[in-house]
Amino acid sequence: MSQTARTLIFVKPDGVRRGLVGEIIQRFERRGIRIVGLKMVRPTRELAEKHYAVHRDKPFFESVVNFITSGPVVAMVLECPNAIEITRQMMGATNPANAAPGTIRGDFGLDIEQNIIHGSSDPEAAAYELNLWFTPEELVG
Ligand code: ATP
Ligand code: MG
């Protein structure tokens, strides 16, 4: 049985700079996924460091925090059955060079860091990220 779930997505600064926001939102809408929250924000260093806290000890941590804070992102909360799995499939592999054609990263990216979009990886990450990025008042019922 499929369970309705929520996931935290954001179009990264490269995707916003390249004008891909509309295309990406359209893909999710056409799939039938419900948007329950949506906003453009320039992430602070504090938000970025909390968001990528699981990668604190990785060699790319500083670099990815600098990248995510380099410009506005478009953050959204999406809802559908199996939202995390479905949206991760639509995003494609972390490294766009390995992402299948037809996925967002596979169609629009080449760079492992500037890979256009973020999506929560599991239910625990989704709960943590939703709370970090959105207040309850910013979400529709
Ligand atoms: P995201 O969490 O952004 O949705 P992901 O779950 O597919 O991506 P993670 O392993 O969580 O991938 O990595 C988080 C982000 O850090 C990647 O999306 C990418 O922007 C950056 N990143 C990951 N690996 C590398 C790397 N080897 N070199 C540079 N940047 C990297
Ligand atoms: Mg991740």
Side-chain angles (χ1 to χ4, degrees), residues 111-136:
D111 188 281
I112 189 167
E113 180 173 85
Q114 302 207 11
N115 59 359
I116 306 158
I117 188 164
H118 163 81
S120 307
S121 54
D122 55 71
E124 293 70 35
Y128 174 76
E129 293 170 6
L130 251 80
N131 180 60
L132 189 61
W133 286 81
F134 283 87
T135 65

Side-chain angles (χ1 to χ4, degrees), residues 12 52 55 60 64 88 91 94 105 112-113 115 118-119:
K12 295 183 178 181
Y52 282 126
H55 296 309
F60 59 82
V64 78
R88 297 277 293 186
M91 286 161 47
T94 302
R105 288 167 174 162
I112 189 167
E113 180 173 85
N115 59 359
H118 163 81

Side-chain angles (χ1 to χ4, degrees), residues 9-10 12 14 18 20 24 27 52 67 87-120:
I9 302 282
F10 59 85
K12 295 183 178 181
D14 58 327
R18 292 173 56 199
L20 296 173
I24 289 169
R27 287 184 180 214
Y52 282 126
F67 165 50
T87 54
R88 297 277 293 186
Q89 279 172 8
M90 291 175 74
M91 286 161 47
T94 302
N95 187 346
N98 303 326
T103 65
I104 293 165
R105 288 167 174 162
D107 286 349
F108 303 120
L110 285 170
D111 188 281
I112 189 167
E113 180 173 85
Q114 302 207 11
N115 59 359
I116 306 158
I117 188 164
H118 163 81
S120 307

